[in-house]
mmCIF file of all heavy atoms in Angstrom:
data_model
loop_
_atom_site.group_PDB
_atom_site.id
_atom_site.type_symbol
_atom_site.label_atom_id
_atom_site.label_comp_id
_atom_site.label_asym_id
_atom_site.label_seq_id
_atom_site.Cartn_x
_atom_site.Cartn_y
_atom_site.Cartn_z
ATOM 1 N N ILE A 1 0.852 -1.168 -0.015
ATOM 2 C CA ILE A 1 0.003 0.001 0.007
ATOM 3 C C ILE A 1 0.825 1.199 -0.009
ATOM 4 O O ILE A 1 0.631 2.253 -0.689
ATOM 5 C CB ILE A 1 -0.968 -0.020 1.267
ATOM 6 C CG1 ILE A 1 -1.930 -1.071 1.016
ATOM 7 C CG2 ILE A 1 -1.613 1.313 1.409
ATOM 8 C CD1 ILE A 1 -2.886 -1.283 2.257
ATOM 9 N N GLN A 2 1.865 1.239 0.850
ATOM 10 C CA GLN A 2 2.857 2.471 0.873
ATOM 11 C C GLN A 2 3.547 2.454 -0.410
ATOM 12 O O GLN A 2 3.737 3.654 -0.989
ATOM 13 C CB GLN A 2 3.766 2.228 2.046
ATOM 14 C CG GLN A 2 3.094 2.289 3.463
ATOM 15 C CD GLN A 2 4.146 2.024 4.454
ATOM 16 O OE1 GLN A 2 5.330 2.291 4.441
ATOM 17 N NE2 GLN A 2 3.714 1.493 5.578
ATOM 18 N N SER A 3 4.031 1.489 -0.997
ATOM 19 C CA SER A 3 4.760 1.501 -2.268
ATOM 20 C C SER A 3 3.928 1.997 -3.451
ATOM 21 O O SER A 3 4.320 2.824 -4.247
ATOM 22 C CB SER A 3 5.278 0.024 -2.525
ATOM 23 O OG SER A 3 6.002 -0.006 -3.861
ATOM 24 N N ASP A 4 2.650 1.503 -3.521
ATOM 25 C CA ASP A 4 1.728 2.034 -4.548
ATOM 26 C C ASP A 4 1.377 3.517 -4.420
ATOM 27 O O ASP A 4 1.319 4.271 -5.425
ATOM 28 C CB ASP A 4 0.471 1.206 -4.578
ATOM 29 C CG ASP A 4 0.677 -0.232 -5.153
ATOM 30 O OD1 ASP A 4 1.876 -0.483 -5.536
ATOM 31 O OD2 ASP A 4 -0.203 -1.029 -5.081
ATOM 32 N N TYR A 5 1.331 3.877 -3.170
ATOM 33 C CA TYR A 5 0.979 5.339 -2.932
ATOM 34 C C TYR A 5 2.139 6.234 -3.353
ATOM 35 O O TYR A 5 1.965 7.228 -4.003
ATOM 36 C CB TYR A 5 0.703 5.463 -1.425
ATOM 37 C CG TYR A 5 0.506 6.920 -1.041
ATOM 38 C CD1 TYR A 5 -0.615 7.618 -1.261
ATOM 39 C CD2 TYR A 5 1.582 7.578 -0.406
ATOM 40 C CE1 TYR A 5 -0.726 9.007 -0.868
ATOM 41 C CE2 TYR A 5 1.428 8.862 -0.014
ATOM 42 C CZ TYR A 5 0.292 9.603 -0.250
ATOM 43 O OH TYR A 5 0.212 10.925 0.187
ATOM 44 N N LEU A 6 3.341 5.735 -3.003
ATOM 45 C CA LEU A 6 4.574 6.572 -3.288
ATOM 46 C C LEU A 6 4.879 6.534 -4.808
ATOM 47 O O LEU A 6 5.272 7.509 -5.444
ATOM 48 C CB LEU A 6 5.742 6.040 -2.623
ATOM 49 C CG LEU A 6 5.822 6.352 -1.016
ATOM 50 C CD1 LEU A 6 6.985 5.665 -0.378
ATOM 51 C CD2 LEU A 6 5.841 7.846 -0.737
ATOM 52 N N SER A 7 4.549 5.436 -5.441
ATOM 53 C CA SER A 7 4.695 5.324 -6.908
ATOM 54 C C SER A 7 3.792 6.247 -7.614
ATOM 55 O O SER A 7 4.180 6.884 -8.644
ATOM 56 C CB SER A 7 4.440 3.859 -7.367
ATOM 57 O OG SER A 7 5.350 3.014 -6.799
ATOM 58 N N ASN A 8 2.529 6.339 -7.120
ATOM 59 C CA ASN A 8 1.540 7.289 -7.742
ATOM 60 C C ASN A 8 2.061 8.743 -7.535
ATOM 61 O O ASN A 8 1.819 9.610 -8.362
ATOM 62 C CB ASN A 8 0.171 7.090 -7.149
ATOM 63 C CG ASN A 8 -0.416 5.798 -7.498
ATOM 64 O OD1 ASN A 8 -0.118 5.317 -8.595
ATOM 65 N ND2 ASN A 8 -1.317 5.269 -6.680
ATOM 66 N N LYS A 9 2.521 9.049 -6.268
ATOM 67 C CA LYS A 9 2.995 10.348 -6.036
ATOM 68 C C LYS A 9 4.256 10.683 -6.948
ATOM 69 O O LYS A 9 4.464 11.777 -7.484
ATOM 70 C CB LYS A 9 3.419 10.446 -4.604
ATOM 71 C CG LYS A 9 2.288 10.593 -3.603
ATOM 72 C CD LYS A 9 1.512 11.846 -3.783
ATOM 73 C CE LYS A 9 0.396 11.981 -2.844
ATOM 74 N NZ LYS A 9 -0.366 13.303 -3.052
ATOM 75 N N TYR A 10 5.126 9.665 -7.106
ATOM 76 C CA TYR A 10 6.341 9.870 -8.068
ATOM 77 C C TYR A 10 5.804 10.193 -9.399
ATOM 78 O O TYR A 10 6.390 11.100 -10.115
ATOM 79 C CB TYR A 10 7.027 8.613 -8.010
ATOM 80 C CG TYR A 10 8.292 8.668 -8.953
ATOM 81 C CD1 TYR A 10 9.571 9.205 -8.545
ATOM 82 C CD2 TYR A 10 8.287 8.148 -10.223
ATOM 83 C CE1 TYR A 10 10.632 9.276 -9.339
ATOM 84 C CE2 TYR A 10 9.399 8.083 -11.109
ATOM 85 C CZ TYR A 10 10.517 8.683 -10.700
ATOM 86 O OH TYR A 10 11.639 8.691 -11.490
ATOM 87 N N ASP A 11 4.781 9.495 -9.949
ATOM 88 C CA ASP A 11 4.378 9.766 -11.261
ATOM 89 C C ASP A 11 3.713 11.097 -11.425
ATOM 90 O O ASP A 11 3.710 11.754 -12.523
ATOM 91 C CB ASP A 11 3.310 8.647 -11.735
ATOM 92 C CG ASP A 11 3.960 7.321 -11.865
ATOM 93 O OD1 ASP A 11 5.218 7.204 -11.979
ATOM 94 O OD2 ASP A 11 3.153 6.350 -11.698
ATOM 95 N N GLN A 12 3.063 11.605 -10.270
ATOM 96 C CA GLN A 12 2.419 12.936 -10.317
ATOM 97 C C GLN A 12 3.286 14.073 -9.957
ATOM 98 O O GLN A 12 2.807 15.226 -10.048
ATOM 99 C CB GLN A 12 1.228 12.881 -9.400
ATOM 100 C CG GLN A 12 0.152 11.867 -9.732
ATOM 101 C CD GLN A 12 -0.933 11.653 -8.761
ATOM 102 O OE1 GLN A 12 -0.926 12.321 -7.663
ATOM 103 N NE2 GLN A 12 -1.843 10.723 -8.911
ATOM 104 N N ALA A 13 4.573 13.797 -9.681
ATOM 105 C CA ALA A 13 5.486 14.850 -9.244
ATOM 106 C C ALA A 13 5.706 15.932 -10.453
ATOM 107 O O ALA A 13 5.778 15.394 -11.627
ATOM 108 C CB ALA A 13 6.832 14.255 -8.806
ATOM 109 N N LYS A 14 5.766 17.094 -10.084
ATOM 110 C CA LYS A 14 5.875 18.196 -11.102
ATOM 111 C C LYS A 14 7.343 18.538 -11.448
ATOM 112 O O LYS A 14 7.494 19.260 -12.406
ATOM 113 C CB LYS A 14 5.091 19.398 -10.696
ATOM 114 C CG LYS A 14 3.554 19.094 -10.451
ATOM 115 C CD LYS A 14 2.877 20.370 -9.976
ATOM 116 C CE LYS A 14 1.426 20.171 -9.844
ATOM 117 N NZ LYS A 14 0.571 21.227 -9.347
ATOM 118 N N ASN A 15 8.213 18.150 -10.564
ATOM 119 C CA ASN A 15 9.638 18.574 -10.825
ATOM 120 C C ASN A 15 10.520 17.462 -10.273
ATOM 121 O O ASN A 15 10.122 16.458 -9.596
ATOM 122 C CB ASN A 15 9.968 19.817 -10.091
ATOM 123 C CG ASN A 15 9.554 19.863 -8.702
ATOM 124 O OD1 ASN A 15 10.126 18.950 -7.874
ATOM 125 N ND2 ASN A 15 8.834 20.838 -8.162
ATOM 126 N N GLY A 16 11.829 17.642 -10.673
ATOM 127 C CA GLY A 16 12.815 16.565 -10.342
ATOM 128 C C GLY A 16 13.065 16.440 -8.751
ATOM 129 O O GLY A 16 13.383 15.289 -8.336
ATOM 130 N N VAL A 17 12.964 17.496 -8.118
ATOM 131 C CA VAL A 17 13.123 17.463 -6.641
ATOM 132 C C VAL A 17 12.145 16.545 -5.947
ATOM 133 O O VAL A 17 12.478 15.713 -5.094
ATOM 134 C CB VAL A 17 13.110 18.851 -6.102
ATOM 135 C CG1 VAL A 17 13.256 18.867 -4.501
ATOM 136 C CG2 VAL A 17 14.145 19.681 -6.549
ATOM 137 N N GLU A 18 10.889 16.692 -6.352
ATOM 138 C CA GLU A 18 9.916 15.878 -5.724
ATOM 139 C C GLU A 18 10.018 14.405 -6.180
ATOM 140 O O GLU A 18 9.906 13.460 -5.419
ATOM 141 C CB GLU A 18 8.415 16.353 -6.233
ATOM 142 C CG GLU A 18 8.021 17.595 -5.559
ATOM 143 C CD GLU A 18 6.591 17.957 -5.963
ATOM 144 O OE1 GLU A 18 5.922 17.241 -6.618
ATOM 145 O OE2 GLU A 18 6.130 19.062 -5.490
ATOM 146 N N ARG A 19 10.413 14.151 -7.466
ATOM 147 C CA ARG A 19 10.735 12.888 -7.888
ATOM 148 C C ARG A 19 11.822 12.145 -7.114
ATOM 149 O O ARG A 19 11.671 11.041 -6.759
ATOM 150 C CB ARG A 19 10.995 12.787 -9.366
ATOM 151 C CG ARG A 19 9.837 13.018 -10.331
ATOM 152 C CD ARG A 19 10.171 12.654 -11.756
ATOM 153 N NE ARG A 19 8.994 12.976 -12.623
ATOM 154 C CZ ARG A 19 8.950 14.092 -13.257
ATOM 155 N NH1 ARG A 19 9.769 15.095 -13.100
ATOM 156 N NH2 ARG A 19 7.793 14.238 -14.091
ATOM 157 N N VAL A 20 12.889 12.868 -6.840
ATOM 158 C CA VAL A 20 14.012 12.340 -6.104
ATOM 159 C C VAL A 20 13.522 12.067 -4.592
ATOM 160 O O VAL A 20 13.864 10.997 -4.050
ATOM 161 C CB VAL A 20 15.178 13.360 -6.074
ATOM 162 C CG1 VAL A 20 16.165 12.902 -4.916
ATOM 163 C CG2 VAL A 20 15.728 13.495 -7.416
ATOM 164 N N LYS A 21 12.682 12.892 -4.091
ATOM 165 C CA LYS A 21 12.222 12.641 -2.708
ATOM 166 C C LYS A 21 11.413 11.349 -2.709
ATOM 167 O O LYS A 21 11.620 10.504 -1.741
ATOM 168 C CB LYS A 21 11.353 13.860 -2.260
ATOM 169 C CG LYS A 21 10.794 13.657 -0.787
ATOM 170 C CD LYS A 21 9.968 14.815 -0.404
ATOM 171 C CE LYS A 21 8.696 14.828 -1.099
ATOM 172 N NZ LYS A 21 7.739 15.805 -0.589
ATOM 173 N N TYR A 22 10.494 11.165 -3.581
ATOM 174 C CA TYR A 22 9.640 9.996 -3.538
ATOM 175 C C TYR A 22 10.332 8.745 -3.921
ATOM 176 O O TYR A 22 10.036 7.643 -3.596
ATOM 177 C CB TYR A 22 8.390 10.176 -4.472
ATOM 178 C CG TYR A 22 7.382 11.165 -3.999
ATOM 179 C CD1 TYR A 22 7.048 12.288 -4.738
ATOM 180 C CD2 TYR A 22 6.852 11.020 -2.732
ATOM 181 C CE1 TYR A 22 6.122 13.171 -4.185
ATOM 182 C CE2 TYR A 22 5.886 11.852 -2.267
ATOM 183 C CZ TYR A 22 5.506 13.022 -2.967
ATOM 184 O OH TYR A 22 4.601 13.881 -2.474
ATOM 185 N N TYR A 23 11.414 8.941 -4.879
ATOM 186 C CA TYR A 23 12.178 7.773 -5.174
ATOM 187 C C TYR A 23 13.083 7.332 -4.003
ATOM 188 O O TYR A 23 13.146 6.101 -3.750
ATOM 189 C CB TYR A 23 13.247 8.150 -6.333
ATOM 190 C CG TYR A 23 14.121 7.082 -6.715
ATOM 191 C CD1 TYR A 23 13.633 6.149 -7.609
ATOM 192 C CD2 TYR A 23 15.472 6.982 -6.296
ATOM 193 C CE1 TYR A 23 14.432 5.045 -8.073
ATOM 194 C CE2 TYR A 23 16.243 5.920 -6.805
ATOM 195 C CZ TYR A 23 15.742 5.079 -7.639
ATOM 196 O OH TYR A 23 16.612 3.924 -8.018
ATOM 197 N N LYS A 24 13.591 8.232 -3.195
ATOM 198 C CA LYS A 24 14.280 7.840 -1.975
ATOM 199 C C LYS A 24 13.350 7.170 -0.917
ATOM 200 O O LYS A 24 13.721 6.165 -0.273
ATOM 201 C CB LYS A 24 14.962 9.055 -1.328
ATOM 202 C CG LYS A 24 16.123 9.497 -2.076
ATOM 203 C CD LYS A 24 16.765 10.737 -1.422
ATOM 204 C CE LYS A 24 17.996 11.184 -2.118
ATOM 205 N NZ LYS A 24 18.648 12.405 -1.452
ATOM 206 N N LEU A 25 12.145 7.685 -0.843
ATOM 207 C CA LEU A 25 11.114 7.005 0.044
ATOM 208 C C LEU A 25 10.796 5.581 -0.414
ATOM 209 O O LEU A 25 10.650 4.779 0.492
ATOM 210 C CB LEU A 25 9.846 7.871 0.145
ATOM 211 C CG LEU A 25 10.020 9.261 0.919
ATOM 212 C CD1 LEU A 25 8.752 10.078 0.769
ATOM 213 C CD2 LEU A 25 10.362 9.043 2.388
ATOM 214 N N LEU A 26 10.606 5.541 -1.714
ATOM 215 C CA LEU A 26 10.448 4.141 -2.170
ATOM 216 C C LEU A 26 11.627 3.220 -1.866
ATOM 217 O O LEU A 26 11.393 2.059 -1.561
ATOM 218 C CB LEU A 26 10.247 4.208 -3.740
ATOM 219 C CG LEU A 26 8.823 4.511 -4.220
ATOM 220 C CD1 LEU A 26 8.850 4.753 -5.761
ATOM 221 C CD2 LEU A 26 7.798 3.436 -3.894
ATOM 222 N N GLY A 27 12.733 3.684 -2.047
ATOM 223 C CA GLY A 27 13.998 2.806 -1.853
ATOM 224 C C GLY A 27 14.162 2.580 -0.313
ATOM 225 O O GLY A 27 14.844 1.623 0.083
ATOM 226 N N SER A 28 13.542 3.350 0.547
ATOM 227 C CA SER A 28 13.773 3.103 1.942
ATOM 228 C C SER A 28 12.748 2.122 2.591
ATOM 229 O O SER A 28 12.861 1.692 3.704
ATOM 230 C CB SER A 28 13.553 4.428 2.730
ATOM 231 O OG SER A 28 12.227 4.938 2.574
ATOM 232 N N LEU A 29 11.682 1.704 1.765
ATOM 233 C CA LEU A 29 10.756 0.730 2.233
ATOM 234 C C LEU A 29 11.464 -0.595 2.478
ATOM 235 O O LEU A 29 12.299 -1.017 1.593
ATOM 236 C CB LEU A 29 9.643 0.524 1.154
ATOM 237 C CG LEU A 29 8.674 1.692 0.980
ATOM 238 C CD1 LEU A 29 7.633 1.428 -0.173
ATOM 239 C CD2 LEU A 29 7.961 2.051 2.358
ATOM 240 N N PRO A 30 11.086 -1.308 3.539
ATOM 241 C CA PRO A 30 11.748 -2.544 3.842
ATOM 242 C C PRO A 30 11.451 -3.631 2.760
ATOM 243 O O PRO A 30 10.314 -3.671 2.169
ATOM 244 C CB PRO A 30 11.310 -2.909 5.141
ATOM 245 C CG PRO A 30 9.997 -2.227 5.346
ATOM 246 C CD PRO A 30 10.178 -0.930 4.545
ATOM 247 N N SER A 31 12.238 -4.686 2.633
ATOM 248 C CA SER A 31 12.060 -5.716 1.724
ATOM 249 C C SER A 31 10.947 -6.659 2.395
ATOM 250 O O SER A 31 10.979 -6.883 3.634
ATOM 251 C CB SER A 31 13.341 -6.515 1.545
ATOM 252 O OG SER A 31 13.052 -7.739 0.727
ATOM 253 N N HIS A 32 10.221 -7.402 1.574
ATOM 254 C CA HIS A 32 9.115 -8.151 2.106
ATOM 255 C C HIS A 32 8.788 -9.406 1.216
ATOM 256 O O HIS A 32 8.136 -10.358 1.600
ATOM 257 C CB HIS A 32 7.789 -7.428 2.225
ATOM 258 C CG HIS A 32 7.213 -6.995 1.038
ATOM 259 N ND1 HIS A 32 6.263 -7.691 0.273
ATOM 260 C CD2 HIS A 32 7.407 -5.814 0.232
ATOM 261 C CE1 HIS A 32 5.968 -7.050 -0.875
ATOM 262 N NE2 HIS A 32 6.667 -5.967 -0.869
ATOM 263 N N SER A 33 9.287 -9.407 0.048
ATOM 264 C CA SER A 33 8.956 -10.419 -0.909
ATOM 265 C C SER A 33 9.297 -11.843 -0.516
ATOM 266 O O SER A 33 8.607 -12.718 -0.717
ATOM 267 C CB SER A 33 9.651 -10.130 -2.222
ATOM 268 O OG SER A 33 9.202 -11.040 -3.286
ATOM 269 N N LEU A 34 10.477 -11.957 0.097
ATOM 270 C CA LEU A 34 11.087 -13.325 0.565
ATOM 271 C C LEU A 34 10.942 -13.578 2.064
ATOM 272 O O LEU A 34 11.751 -14.450 2.516
ATOM 273 C CB LEU A 34 12.401 -13.472 0.012
ATOM 274 C CG LEU A 34 12.552 -13.474 -1.509
ATOM 275 C CD1 LEU A 34 13.966 -13.614 -1.927
ATOM 276 C CD2 LEU A 34 11.753 -14.512 -2.284
ATOM 277 N N ASN A 35 10.094 -12.757 2.835
ATOM 278 C CA ASN A 35 10.134 -12.957 4.250
ATOM 279 C C ASN A 35 9.711 -14.365 4.604
ATOM 280 O O ASN A 35 8.763 -14.938 4.025
ATOM 281 C CB ASN A 35 9.073 -11.994 4.820
ATOM 282 C CG ASN A 35 9.678 -10.564 4.933
ATOM 283 O OD1 ASN A 35 10.780 -10.332 4.528
ATOM 284 N ND2 ASN A 35 8.876 -9.721 5.468
ATOM 285 N N HIS A 36 10.358 -14.915 5.566
ATOM 286 C CA HIS A 36 10.089 -16.272 6.137
ATOM 287 C C HIS A 36 10.127 -17.373 5.144
ATOM 288 O O HIS A 36 9.640 -18.518 5.254
ATOM 289 C CB HIS A 36 8.729 -16.339 6.779
ATOM 290 C CG HIS A 36 8.545 -15.407 7.987
ATOM 291 N ND1 HIS A 36 9.574 -15.318 8.989
ATOM 292 C CD2 HIS A 36 7.657 -14.543 8.290
ATOM 293 C CE1 HIS A 36 9.178 -14.388 9.800
ATOM 294 N NE2 HIS A 36 7.938 -13.911 9.483
ATOM 295 N N CYS A 37 10.968 -17.198 3.970
ATOM 296 C CA CYS A 37 10.987 -18.195 2.950
ATOM 297 C C CYS A 37 11.615 -19.414 3.394
ATOM 298 O O CYS A 37 11.179 -20.624 3.186
ATOM 299 C CB CYS A 37 11.731 -17.648 1.730
ATOM 300 S SG CYS A 37 11.852 -18.847 0.401
ATOM 301 N N LEU A 38 12.721 -19.298 4.109
ATOM 302 C CA LEU A 38 13.495 -20.365 4.676
ATOM 303 C C LEU A 38 12.711 -21.141 5.696
ATOM 304 O O LEU A 38 12.704 -22.441 5.651
ATOM 305 C CB LEU A 38 14.799 -19.950 5.314
ATOM 306 C CG LEU A 38 15.701 -21.010 5.925
ATOM 307 C CD1 LEU A 38 16.141 -21.992 4.794
ATOM 308 C CD2 LEU A 38 16.957 -20.349 6.554
ATOM 309 N N LYS A 39 11.996 -20.509 6.602
ATOM 310 C CA LYS A 39 11.196 -21.174 7.525
ATOM 311 C C LYS A 39 9.989 -21.949 6.989
ATOM 312 O O LYS A 39 9.777 -23.163 7.264
ATOM 313 C CB LYS A 39 10.568 -20.149 8.476
ATOM 314 C CG LYS A 39 11.613 -19.473 9.426
ATOM 315 C CD LYS A 39 10.995 -18.340 10.344
ATOM 316 C CE LYS A 39 12.004 -17.589 11.049
ATOM 317 N NZ LYS A 39 11.388 -16.548 11.918
ATOM 318 N N ILE A 40 9.300 -21.383 5.902
ATOM 319 C CA ILE A 40 8.164 -21.910 5.321
ATOM 320 C C ILE A 40 8.596 -23.244 4.405
ATOM 321 O O ILE A 40 8.085 -24.297 4.539
ATOM 322 C CB ILE A 40 7.422 -20.927 4.454
ATOM 323 C CG1 ILE A 40 6.779 -19.964 5.303
ATOM 324 C CG2 ILE A 40 6.409 -21.590 3.569
ATOM 325 C CD1 ILE A 40 6.041 -18.754 4.527
ATOM 326 N N ALA A 41 9.813 -23.049 3.871
ATOM 327 C CA ALA A 41 10.278 -24.189 2.981
ATOM 328 C C ALA A 41 10.686 -25.326 3.961
ATOM 329 O O ALA A 41 10.444 -26.560 3.655
ATOM 330 C CB ALA A 41 11.537 -23.785 2.128
ATOM 331 N N THR A 42 11.314 -25.053 5.044
ATOM 332 C CA THR A 42 11.893 -26.047 6.004
ATOM 333 C C THR A 42 10.650 -26.724 6.627
ATOM 334 O O THR A 42 10.700 -27.940 6.718
ATOM 335 C CB THR A 42 12.732 -25.399 7.064
ATOM 336 O OG1 THR A 42 13.802 -24.665 6.519
ATOM 337 C CG2 THR A 42 13.249 -26.435 7.960
#
């Protein structure tokens, strides 16, 4: 939800400064795609 919100804000940004801000916020989001993969597989 946070990632999609920031992506929409990034697309709607009117200048490069706002794009950089939202790009950094997107990059600061924690990883979640492979959470608990080892535990579930084991």
Side-chain angles (χ1 to χ4, degrees):
I1 291 173
Q2 296 177 25
S3 176
D4 288 353
Y5 173 79
L6 293 173
S7 296
N8 291 332
K9 287 293 184 181
Y10 177 85
D11 294 340
Q12 297 170 6
K14 297 179 180 179
N15 53 56
V17 176
E18 289 187 0
R19 286 193 181 91
V20 171
K21 182 180 72 172
Y22 290 120
Y23 181 80
K24 287 182 178 180
L25 289 174
L26 278 169
S28 65
L29 291 176
S31 175
H32 67 92
S33 184
L34 298 176
N35 280 5
H36 297 315
C37 181
L38 180 61
K39 295 178 182 177
I40 293 175
T42 302

